[in-house]
Amino acid sequence: MIVLHWLIGVIFIGQFALGVVMVRTTSQRASFELIQLHKSFGFLLLGLIILRIAWRLGNVAPALPSSVGTLERRTAPLAHFALYAFQIALPLSG
């Protein structure tokens, strides 16, 4: 899961960089190739995120340390849900 986590992170950041480069390229041919690459990595990212969510639903999350406060204990599940929702919405929105 750690490898999957970091793989998703690297691809996610790479997608932002690729997006910036592809819109600033003046060559139409290069721009087209970068757009195709961007779409391919987007579909890969979506598949990996779905795999990660499936893994998360099938396995129990580790317990939070006792030093974590009540507010953090209540908001952590909401924050994780929001992150998963954004990770699904972003590749689908293009």
PDB file of all heavy atoms in Angstrom, residues 11-48:
ATOM      1  N   ILE A  11       2.425  10.314  -9.723  1.00  0.00           N
ATOM      2  CA  ILE A  11       1.666  10.507 -10.972  1.00  0.00           C
ATOM      3  C   ILE A  11       0.787  11.743 -10.869  1.00  0.00           C
ATOM      4  O   ILE A  11       0.663  12.514 -11.831  1.00  0.00           O
ATOM      5  CB  ILE A  11       0.841   9.249 -11.315  1.00  0.00           C
ATOM      6  CG1 ILE A  11       1.763   8.075 -11.628  1.00  0.00           C
ATOM      7  CG2 ILE A  11      -0.086   9.517 -12.503  1.00  0.00           C
ATOM      8  CD1 ILE A  11       1.040   6.754 -11.812  1.00  0.00           C
ATOM      9  N   PHE A  12       0.176  11.954  -9.713  1.00  0.00           N
ATOM     10  CA  PHE A  12      -0.694  13.117  -9.517  1.00  0.00           C
ATOM     11  C   PHE A  12       0.085  14.417  -9.709  1.00  0.00           C
ATOM     12  O   PHE A  12      -0.354  15.323 -10.429  1.00  0.00           O
ATOM     13  CB  PHE A  12      -1.300  13.055  -8.108  1.00  0.00           C
ATOM     14  CG  PHE A  12      -2.587  13.786  -7.942  1.00  0.00           C
ATOM     15  CD1 PHE A  12      -3.772  13.205  -8.314  1.00  0.00           C
ATOM     16  CD2 PHE A  12      -2.614  15.063  -7.411  1.00  0.00           C
ATOM     17  CE1 PHE A  12      -4.974  13.875  -8.165  1.00  0.00           C
ATOM     18  CE2 PHE A  12      -3.792  15.745  -7.258  1.00  0.00           C
ATOM     19  CZ  PHE A  12      -4.983  15.145  -7.638  1.00  0.00           C
ATOM     20  N   ILE A  13       1.246  14.515  -9.095  1.00  0.00           N
ATOM     21  CA  ILE A  13       2.082  15.714  -9.239  1.00  0.00           C
ATOM     22  C   ILE A  13       2.595  15.831 -10.675  1.00  0.00           C
ATOM     23  O   ILE A  13       2.632  16.925 -11.250  1.00  0.00           O
ATOM     24  CB  ILE A  13       3.235  15.690  -8.224  1.00  0.00           C
ATOM     25  CG1 ILE A  13       2.672  15.855  -6.814  1.00  0.00           C
ATOM     26  CG2 ILE A  13       4.263  16.783  -8.518  1.00  0.00           C
ATOM     27  CD1 ILE A  13       3.661  15.569  -5.707  1.00  0.00           C
ATOM     28  N   GLY A  14       2.974  14.696 -11.262  1.00  0.00           N
ATOM     29  CA  GLY A  14       3.425  14.692 -12.651  1.00  0.00           C
ATOM     30  C   GLY A  14       2.350  15.162 -13.613  1.00  0.00           C
ATOM     31  O   GLY A  14       2.644  15.830 -14.617  1.00  0.00           O
ATOM     32  N   GLN A  15       1.101  14.850 -13.311  1.00  0.00           N
ATOM     33  CA  GLN A  15       0.000  15.296 -14.158  1.00  0.00           C
ATOM     34  C   GLN A  15      -0.123  16.822 -14.158  1.00  0.00           C
ATOM     35  O   GLN A  15      -0.424  17.423 -15.183  1.00  0.00           O
ATOM     36  CB  GLN A  15      -1.318  14.663 -13.702  1.00  0.00           C
ATOM     37  CG  GLN A  15      -1.511  13.233 -14.147  1.00  0.00           C
ATOM     38  CD  GLN A  15      -1.785  13.128 -15.620  1.00  0.00           C
ATOM     39  OE1 GLN A  15      -0.880  13.204 -16.454  1.00  0.00           O
ATOM     40  NE2 GLN A  15      -3.041  12.946 -15.958  1.00  0.00           N
ATOM     41  N   PHE A  16       0.076  17.429 -13.004  1.00  0.00           N
ATOM     42  CA  PHE A  16       0.044  18.895 -12.948  1.00  0.00           C
ATOM     43  C   PHE A  16       1.161  19.488 -13.799  1.00  0.00           C
ATOM     44  O   PHE A  16       0.944  20.427 -14.568  1.00  0.00           O
ATOM     45  CB  PHE A  16       0.156  19.396 -11.504  1.00  0.00           C
ATOM     46  CG  PHE A  16      -1.125  19.336 -10.747  1.00  0.00           C
ATOM     47  CD1 PHE A  16      -1.291  18.429  -9.728  1.00  0.00           C
ATOM     48  CD2 PHE A  16      -2.176  20.183 -11.054  1.00  0.00           C
ATOM     49  CE1 PHE A  16      -2.476  18.358  -9.020  1.00  0.00           C
ATOM     50  CE2 PHE A  16      -3.368  20.123 -10.366  1.00  0.00           C
ATOM     51  CZ  PHE A  16      -3.519  19.202  -9.345  1.00  0.00           C
ATOM     52  N   ALA A  17       2.353  18.936 -13.663  1.00  0.00           N
ATOM     53  CA  ALA A  17       3.495  19.428 -14.447  1.00  0.00           C
ATOM     54  C   ALA A  17       3.252  19.221 -15.936  1.00  0.00           C
ATOM     55  O   ALA A  17       3.500  20.119 -16.749  1.00  0.00           O
ATOM     56  CB  ALA A  17       4.775  18.728 -14.009  1.00  0.00           C
ATOM     57  N   LEU A  18       2.767  18.048 -16.300  1.00  0.00           N
ATOM     58  CA  LEU A  18       2.471  17.764 -17.708  1.00  0.00           C
ATOM     59  C   LEU A  18       1.388  18.699 -18.237  1.00  0.00           C
ATOM     60  O   LEU A  18       1.467  19.172 -19.374  1.00  0.00           O
ATOM     61  CB  LEU A  18       2.051  16.305 -17.861  1.00  0.00           C
ATOM     62  CG  LEU A  18       1.809  15.784 -19.265  1.00  0.00           C
ATOM     63  CD1 LEU A  18       3.039  15.959 -20.145  1.00  0.00           C
ATOM     64  CD2 LEU A  18       1.390  14.318 -19.213  1.00  0.00           C
ATOM     65  N   GLY A  19       0.399  18.991 -17.419  1.00  0.00           N
ATOM     66  CA  GLY A  19      -0.662  19.915 -17.826  1.00  0.00           C
ATOM     67  C   GLY A  19      -0.140  21.311 -18.102  1.00  0.00           C
ATOM     68  O   GLY A  19      -0.548  21.959 -19.072  1.00  0.00           O
ATOM     69  N   VAL A  20       0.764  21.781 -17.267  1.00  0.00           N
ATOM     70  CA  VAL A  20       1.352  23.112 -17.475  1.00  0.00           C
ATOM     71  C   VAL A  20       2.167  23.133 -18.765  1.00  0.00           C
ATOM     72  O   VAL A  20       2.060  24.065 -19.567  1.00  0.00           O
ATOM     73  CB  VAL A  20       2.231  23.512 -16.269  1.00  0.00           C
ATOM     74  CG1 VAL A  20       3.051  24.746 -16.579  1.00  0.00           C
ATOM     75  CG2 VAL A  20       1.368  23.743 -15.037  1.00  0.00           C
ATOM     76  N   VAL A  21       2.964  22.089 -18.974  1.00  0.00           N
ATOM     77  CA  VAL A  21       3.805  22.039 -20.171  1.00  0.00           C
ATOM     78  C   VAL A  21       2.960  21.937 -21.433  1.00  0.00           C
ATOM     79  O   VAL A  21       3.226  22.610 -22.429  1.00  0.00           O
ATOM     80  CB  VAL A  21       4.806  20.855 -20.083  1.00  0.00           C
ATOM     81  CG1 VAL A  21       5.519  20.639 -21.402  1.00  0.00           C
ATOM     82  CG2 VAL A  21       5.809  21.099 -18.975  1.00  0.00           C
ATOM     83  N   MET A  22       1.917  21.109 -21.412  1.00  0.00           N
ATOM     84  CA  MET A  22       1.147  20.868 -22.635  1.00  0.00           C
ATOM     85  C   MET A  22       0.372  22.110 -23.098  1.00  0.00           C
ATOM     86  O   MET A  22       0.168  22.284 -24.282  1.00  0.00           O
ATOM     87  CB  MET A  22       0.219  19.668 -22.479  1.00  0.00           C
ATOM     88  CG  MET A  22      -1.019  19.900 -21.723  1.00  0.00           C
ATOM     89  SD  MET A  22      -1.986  18.385 -21.637  1.00  0.00           S
ATOM     90  CE  MET A  22      -3.436  19.021 -20.839  1.00  0.00           C
ATOM     91  N   VAL A  23      -0.044  22.963 -22.162  1.00  0.00           N
ATOM     92  CA  VAL A  23      -0.774  24.160 -22.585  1.00  0.00           C
ATOM     93  C   VAL A  23       0.148  25.294 -22.996  1.00  0.00           C
ATOM     94  O   VAL A  23      -0.290  26.249 -23.627  1.00  0.00           O
ATOM     95  CB  VAL A  23      -1.765  24.652 -21.505  1.00  0.00           C
ATOM     96  CG1 VAL A  23      -2.820  23.612 -21.227  1.00  0.00           C
ATOM     97  CG2 VAL A  23      -1.054  25.060 -20.234  1.00  0.00           C
ATOM     98  N   ARG A  24       1.427  25.196 -22.657  1.00  0.00           N
ATOM     99  CA  ARG A  24       2.382  26.247 -23.018  1.00  0.00           C
ATOM    100  C   ARG A  24       3.221  25.893 -24.242  1.00  0.00           C
ATOM    101  O   ARG A  24       4.038  26.692 -24.674  1.00  0.00           O
ATOM    102  CB  ARG A  24       3.296  26.544 -21.836  1.00  0.00           C
ATOM    103  CG  ARG A  24       2.529  27.155 -20.684  1.00  0.00           C
ATOM    104  CD  ARG A  24       3.406  27.393 -19.514  1.00  0.00           C
ATOM    105  NE  ARG A  24       2.577  27.835 -18.391  1.00  0.00           N
ATOM    106  CZ  ARG A  24       2.910  28.788 -17.574  1.00  0.00           C
ATOM    107  NH1 ARG A  24       4.058  29.395 -17.708  1.00  0.00           N
ATOM    108  NH2 ARG A  24       2.119  29.123 -16.597  1.00  0.00           N
ATOM    109  N   THR A  25       3.035  24.709 -24.774  1.00  0.00           N
ATOM    110  CA  THR A  25       3.784  24.279 -25.949  1.00  0.00           C
ATOM    111  C   THR A  25       3.201  24.940 -27.187  1.00  0.00           C
ATOM    112  O   THR A  25       1.989  24.951 -27.387  1.00  0.00           O
ATOM    113  CB  THR A  25       3.731  22.747 -26.087  1.00  0.00           C
ATOM    114  OG1 THR A  25       4.233  22.172 -24.896  1.00  0.00           O
ATOM    115  CG2 THR A  25       4.523  22.270 -27.264  1.00  0.00           C
ATOM    116  N   THR A  26       4.078  25.501 -28.024  1.00  0.00           N
ATOM    117  CA  THR A  26       3.602  26.187 -29.230  1.00  0.00           C
ATOM    118  C   THR A  26       3.406  25.235 -30.396  1.00  0.00           C
ATOM    119  O   THR A  26       2.597  25.508 -31.274  1.00  0.00           O
ATOM    120  CB  THR A  26       4.598  27.296 -29.635  1.00  0.00           C
ATOM    121  OG1 THR A  26       5.888  26.721 -29.824  1.00  0.00           O
ATOM    122  CG2 THR A  26       4.665  28.363 -28.556  1.00  0.00           C
ATOM    123  N   SER A  27       4.104  24.127 -30.418  1.00  0.00           N
ATOM    124  CA  SER A  27       3.973  23.149 -31.497  1.00  0.00           C
ATOM    125  C   SER A  27       2.679  22.366 -31.325  1.00  0.00           C
ATOM    126  O   SER A  27       2.437  21.754 -30.285  1.00  0.00           O
ATOM    127  CB  SER A  27       5.163  22.189 -31.497  1.00  0.00           C
ATOM    128  OG  SER A  27       4.914  21.085 -32.321  1.00  0.00           O
ATOM    129  N   GLN A  28       1.835  22.379 -32.371  1.00  0.00           N
ATOM    130  CA  GLN A  28       0.575  21.652 -32.299  1.00  0.00           C
ATOM    131  C   GLN A  28       0.805  20.146 -32.190  1.00  0.00           C
ATOM    132  O   GLN A  28       0.085  19.454 -31.490  1.00  0.00           O
ATOM    133  CB  GLN A  28      -0.296  21.957 -33.508  1.00  0.00           C
ATOM    134  CG  GLN A  28      -0.940  23.311 -33.463  1.00  0.00           C
ATOM    135  CD  GLN A  28      -1.899  23.514 -34.615  1.00  0.00           C
ATOM    136  OE1 GLN A  28      -1.852  22.802 -35.627  1.00  0.00           O
ATOM    137  NE2 GLN A  28      -2.778  24.484 -34.481  1.00  0.00           N
ATOM    138  N   ARG A  29       1.803  19.654 -32.903  1.00  0.00           N
ATOM    139  CA  ARG A  29       2.094  18.218 -32.864  1.00  0.00           C
ATOM    140  C   ARG A  29       2.546  17.790 -31.468  1.00  0.00           C
ATOM    141  O   ARG A  29       2.064  16.800 -30.926  1.00  0.00           O
ATOM    142  CB  ARG A  29       3.175  17.883 -33.900  1.00  0.00           C
ATOM    143  CG  ARG A  29       3.586  16.448 -33.929  1.00  0.00           C
ATOM    144  CD  ARG A  29       2.474  15.616 -34.492  1.00  0.00           C
ATOM    145  NE  ARG A  29       2.877  14.218 -34.479  1.00  0.00           N
ATOM    146  CZ  ARG A  29       2.047  13.224 -34.520  1.00  0.00           C
ATOM    147  NH1 ARG A  29       0.758  13.459 -34.606  1.00  0.00           N
ATOM    148  NH2 ARG A  29       2.468  12.000 -34.501  1.00  0.00           N
ATOM    149  N   ALA A  30       3.456  18.543 -30.875  1.00  0.00           N
ATOM    150  CA  ALA A  30       3.931  18.232 -29.526  1.00  0.00           C
ATOM    151  C   ALA A  30       2.802  18.370 -28.513  1.00  0.00           C
ATOM    152  O   ALA A  30       2.669  17.554 -27.597  1.00  0.00           O
ATOM    153  CB  ALA A  30       5.094  19.134 -29.150  1.00  0.00           C
ATOM    154  N   SER A  31       1.988  19.391 -28.692  1.00  0.00           N
ATOM    155  CA  SER A  31       0.859  19.604 -27.793  1.00  0.00           C
ATOM    156  C   SER A  31      -0.114  18.424 -27.860  1.00  0.00           C
ATOM    157  O   SER A  31      -0.593  17.938 -26.831  1.00  0.00           O
ATOM    158  CB  SER A  31       0.144  20.899 -28.153  1.00  0.00           C
ATOM    159  OG  SER A  31      -0.950  21.111 -27.291  1.00  0.00           O
ATOM    160  N   PHE A  32      -0.392  17.949 -29.069  1.00  0.00           N
ATOM    161  CA  PHE A  32      -1.284  16.805 -29.239  1.00  0.00           C
ATOM    162  C   PHE A  32      -0.715  15.564 -28.545  1.00  0.00           C
ATOM    163  O   PHE A  32      -1.445  14.845 -27.847  1.00  0.00           O
ATOM    164  CB  PHE A  32      -1.512  16.517 -30.731  1.00  0.00           C
ATOM    165  CG  PHE A  32      -2.348  15.299 -30.983  1.00  0.00           C
ATOM    166  CD1 PHE A  32      -3.717  15.350 -30.831  1.00  0.00           C
ATOM    167  CD2 PHE A  32      -1.750  14.102 -31.344  1.00  0.00           C
ATOM    168  CE1 PHE A  32      -4.496  14.215 -31.048  1.00  0.00           C
ATOM    169  CE2 PHE A  32      -2.511  12.970 -31.561  1.00  0.00           C
ATOM    170  CZ  PHE A  32      -3.887  13.025 -31.416  1.00  0.00           C
ATOM    171  N   GLU A  33       0.575  15.318 -28.730  1.00  0.00           N
ATOM    172  CA  GLU A  33       1.214  14.160 -28.102  1.00  0.00           C
ATOM    173  C   GLU A  33       1.173  14.268 -26.583  1.00  0.00           C
ATOM    174  O   GLU A  33       0.929  13.270 -25.888  1.00  0.00           O
ATOM    175  CB  GLU A  33       2.663  14.025 -28.584  1.00  0.00           C
ATOM    176  CG  GLU A  33       2.808  13.701 -30.049  1.00  0.00           C
ATOM    177  CD  GLU A  33       2.247  12.338 -30.421  1.00  0.00           C
ATOM    178  OE1 GLU A  33       2.282  11.418 -29.571  1.00  0.00           O
ATOM    179  OE2 GLU A  33       1.773  12.195 -31.556  1.00  0.00           O
ATOM    180  N   LEU A  34       1.401  15.457 -26.055  1.00  0.00           N
ATOM    181  CA  LEU A  34       1.362  15.649 -24.603  1.00  0.00           C
ATOM    182  C   LEU A  34      -0.046  15.475 -24.054  1.00  0.00           C
ATOM    183  O   LEU A  34      -0.235  14.932 -22.959  1.00  0.00           O
ATOM    184  CB  LEU A  34       1.923  17.016 -24.230  1.00  0.00           C
ATOM    185  CG  LEU A  34       3.423  17.200 -24.448  1.00  0.00           C
ATOM    186  CD1 LEU A  34       3.822  18.646 -24.184  1.00  0.00           C
ATOM    187  CD2 LEU A  34       4.217  16.250 -23.569  1.00  0.00           C
ATOM    188  N   ILE A  35      -1.034  15.923 -24.805  1.00  0.00           N
ATOM    189  CA  ILE A  35      -2.430  15.746 -24.384  1.00  0.00           C
ATOM    190  C   ILE A  35      -2.772  14.262 -24.319  1.00  0.00           C
ATOM    191  O   ILE A  35      -3.423  13.800 -23.368  1.00  0.00           O
ATOM    192  CB  ILE A  35      -3.389  16.505 -25.321  1.00  0.00           C
ATOM    193  CG1 ILE A  35      -3.248  18.012 -25.101  1.00  0.00           C
ATOM    194  CG2 ILE A  35      -4.833  16.067 -25.103  1.00  0.00           C
ATOM    195  CD1 ILE A  35      -3.956  18.861 -26.146  1.00  0.00           C
ATOM    196  N   GLN A  36      -2.331  13.496 -25.317  1.00  0.00           N
ATOM    197  CA  GLN A  36      -2.592  12.057 -25.320  1.00  0.00           C
ATOM    198  C   GLN A  36      -1.902  11.380 -24.131  1.00  0.00           C
ATOM    199  O   GLN A  36      -2.471  10.497 -23.485  1.00  0.00           O
ATOM    200  CB  GLN A  36      -2.140  11.423 -26.636  1.00  0.00           C
ATOM    201  CG  GLN A  36      -2.872  11.945 -27.862  1.00  0.00           C
ATOM    202  CD  GLN A  36      -4.386  11.875 -27.712  1.00  0.00           C
ATOM    203  OE1 GLN A  36      -4.946  10.873 -27.318  1.00  0.00           O
ATOM    204  NE2 GLN A  36      -5.048  12.981 -28.032  1.00  0.00           N
ATOM    205  N   LEU A  37      -0.680  11.792 -23.846  1.00  0.00           N
ATOM    206  CA  LEU A  37       0.051  11.257 -22.701  1.00  0.00           C
ATOM    207  C   LEU A  37      -0.655  11.624 -21.395  1.00  0.00           C
ATOM    208  O   LEU A  37      -0.786  10.792 -20.484  1.00  0.00           O
ATOM    209  CB  LEU A  37       1.485  11.808 -22.712  1.00  0.00           C
ATOM    210  CG  LEU A  37       2.471  11.201 -21.735  1.00  0.00           C
ATOM    211  CD1 LEU A  37       2.665   9.722 -21.999  1.00  0.00           C
ATOM    212  CD2 LEU A  37       3.798  11.937 -21.826  1.00  0.00           C
ATOM    213  N   HIS A  38      -1.145  12.855 -21.320  1.00  0.00           N
ATOM    214  CA  HIS A  38      -1.862  13.330 -20.140  1.00  0.00           C
ATOM    215  C   HIS A  38      -3.127  12.493 -19.905  1.00  0.00           C
ATOM    216  O   HIS A  38      -3.431  12.118 -18.774  1.00  0.00           O
ATOM    217  CB  HIS A  38      -2.207  14.809 -20.329  1.00  0.00           C
ATOM    218  CG  HIS A  38      -2.817  15.461 -19.138  1.00  0.00           C
ATOM    219  ND1 HIS A  38      -2.101  15.818 -18.024  1.00  0.00           N
ATOM    220  CD2 HIS A  38      -4.092  15.843 -18.890  1.00  0.00           C
ATOM    221  CE1 HIS A  38      -2.897  16.388 -17.146  1.00  0.00           C
ATOM    222  NE2 HIS A  38      -4.116  16.404 -17.644  1.00  0.00           N
ATOM    223  N   LYS A  39      -3.851  12.213 -20.985  1.00  0.00           N
ATOM    224  CA  LYS A  39      -5.057  11.393 -20.856  1.00  0.00           C
ATOM    225  C   LYS A  39      -4.722   9.974 -20.409  1.00  0.00           C
ATOM    226  O   LYS A  39      -5.414   9.404 -19.562  1.00  0.00           O
ATOM    227  CB  LYS A  39      -5.828  11.352 -22.178  1.00  0.00           C
ATOM    228  CG  LYS A  39      -6.562  12.639 -22.487  1.00  0.00           C
ATOM    229  CD  LYS A  39      -7.594  12.466 -23.564  1.00  0.00           C
ATOM    230  CE  LYS A  39      -7.007  12.450 -24.936  1.00  0.00           C
ATOM    231  NZ  LYS A  39      -8.021  12.459 -26.004  1.00  0.00           N
ATOM    232  N   SER A  40      -3.673   9.406 -20.977  1.00  0.00           N
ATOM    233  CA  SER A  40      -3.281   8.046 -20.604  1.00  0.00           C
ATOM    234  C   SER A  40      -2.906   7.957 -19.134  1.00  0.00           C
ATOM    235  O   SER A  40      -3.339   7.038 -18.419  1.00  0.00           O
ATOM    236  CB  SER A  40      -2.101   7.584 -21.462  1.00  0.00           C
ATOM    237  OG  SER A  40      -2.474   7.508 -22.814  1.00  0.00           O
ATOM    238  N   PHE A  41      -2.110   8.894 -18.661  1.00  0.00           N
ATOM    239  CA  PHE A  41      -1.746   8.904 -17.248  1.00  0.00           C
ATOM    240  C   PHE A  41      -2.962   9.182 -16.367  1.00  0.00           C
ATOM    241  O   PHE A  41      -3.049   8.691 -15.244  1.00  0.00           O
ATOM    242  CB  PHE A  41      -0.633   9.914 -16.961  1.00  0.00           C
ATOM    243  CG  PHE A  41       0.731   9.380 -17.213  1.00  0.00           C
ATOM    244  CD1 PHE A  41       1.506   9.887 -18.242  1.00  0.00           C
ATOM    245  CD2 PHE A  41       1.253   8.363 -16.435  1.00  0.00           C
ATOM    246  CE1 PHE A  41       2.778   9.395 -18.486  1.00  0.00           C
ATOM    247  CE2 PHE A  41       2.515   7.859 -16.663  1.00  0.00           C
ATOM    248  CZ  PHE A  41       3.286   8.374 -17.696  1.00  0.00           C
ATOM    249  N   GLY A  42      -3.916   9.966 -16.874  1.00  0.00           N
ATOM    250  CA  GLY A  42      -5.146  10.225 -16.124  1.00  0.00           C
ATOM    251  C   GLY A  42      -5.957   8.959 -15.917  1.00  0.00           C
ATOM    252  O   GLY A  42      -6.464   8.704 -14.822  1.00  0.00           O
ATOM    253  N   PHE A  43      -6.081   8.149 -16.960  1.00  0.00           N
ATOM    254  CA  PHE A  43      -6.800   6.882 -16.819  1.00  0.00           C
ATOM    255  C   PHE A  43      -6.060   5.921 -15.892  1.00  0.00           C
ATOM    256  O   PHE A  43      -6.683   5.207 -15.098  1.00  0.00           O
ATOM    257  CB  PHE A  43      -7.038   6.228 -18.184  1.00  0.00           C
ATOM    258  CG  PHE A  43      -8.176   6.834 -18.942  1.00  0.00           C
ATOM    259  CD1 PHE A  43      -7.957   7.457 -20.152  1.00  0.00           C
ATOM    260  CD2 PHE A  43      -9.467   6.790 -18.452  1.00  0.00           C
ATOM    261  CE1 PHE A  43      -9.004   8.023 -20.860  1.00  0.00           C
ATOM    262  CE2 PHE A  43     -10.522   7.350 -19.141  1.00  0.00           C
ATOM    263  CZ  PHE A  43     -10.292   7.970 -20.356  1.00  0.00           C
ATOM    264  N   LEU A  44      -4.731   5.896 -15.998  1.00  0.00           N
ATOM    265  CA  LEU A  44      -3.934   5.074 -15.095  1.00  0.00           C
ATOM    266  C   LEU A  44      -4.141   5.523 -13.647  1.00  0.00           C
ATOM    267  O   LEU A  44      -4.351   4.696 -12.751  1.00  0.00           O
ATOM    268  CB  LEU A  44      -2.453   5.157 -15.463  1.00  0.00           C
ATOM    269  CG  LEU A  44      -1.479   4.460 -14.516  1.00  0.00           C
ATOM    270  CD1 LEU A  44      -1.721   2.960 -14.501  1.00  0.00           C
ATOM    271  CD2 LEU A  44      -0.048   4.793 -14.894  1.00  0.00           C
ATOM    272  N   LEU A  45      -4.110   6.812 -13.442  1.00  0.00           N
ATOM    273  CA  LEU A  45      -4.303   7.371 -12.110  1.00  0.00           C
ATOM    274  C   LEU A  45      -5.689   7.016 -11.568  1.00  0.00           C
ATOM    275  O   LEU A  45      -5.822   6.606 -10.408  1.00  0.00           O
ATOM    276  CB  LEU A  45      -4.129   8.895 -12.156  1.00  0.00           C
ATOM    277  CG  LEU A  45      -4.118   9.644 -10.844  1.00  0.00           C
ATOM    278  CD1 LEU A  45      -2.982   9.173  -9.961  1.00  0.00           C
ATOM    279  CD2 LEU A  45      -3.975  11.133 -11.113  1.00  0.00           C
ATOM    280  N   LEU A  46      -6.706   7.138 -12.387  1.00  0.00           N
ATOM    281  CA  LEU A  46      -8.062   6.798 -11.964  1.00  0.00           C
ATOM    282  C   LEU A  46      -8.139   5.325 -11.553  1.00  0.00           C
ATOM    283  O   LEU A  46      -8.724   4.995 -10.519  1.00  0.00           O
ATOM    284  CB  LEU A  46      -9.056   7.098 -13.086  1.00  0.00           C
ATOM    285  CG  LEU A  46     -10.522   6.816 -12.784  1.00  0.00           C
ATOM    286  CD1 LEU A  46     -11.002   7.671 -11.625  1.00  0.00           C
ATOM    287  CD2 LEU A  46     -11.362   7.081 -14.028  1.00  0.00           C
ATOM    288  N   GLY A  47      -7.541   4.445 -12.344  1.00  0.00           N
ATOM    289  CA  GLY A  47      -7.549   3.025 -12.003  1.00  0.00           C
ATOM    290  C   GLY A  47      -6.825   2.741 -10.698  1.00  0.00           C
ATOM    291  O   GLY A  47      -7.296   1.945  -9.876  1.00  0.00           O
ATOM    292  N   LEU A  48      -5.688   3.379 -10.494  1.00  0.00           N
ATOM    293  CA  LEU A  48      -4.940   3.172  -9.254  1.00  0.00           C
ATOM    294  C   LEU A  48      -5.703   3.699  -8.040  1.00  0.00           C
ATOM    295  O   LEU A  48      -5.675   3.098  -6.965  1.00  0.00           O
ATOM    296  CB  LEU A  48      -3.566   3.844  -9.341  1.00  0.00           C
ATOM    297  CG  LEU A  48      -2.579   3.225 -10.323  1.00  0.00           C
ATOM    298  CD1 LEU A  48      -1.314   4.082 -10.410  1.00  0.00           C
ATOM    299  CD2 LEU A  48      -2.247   1.797  -9.941  1.00  0.00           C
TER     300      LEU A  48
END
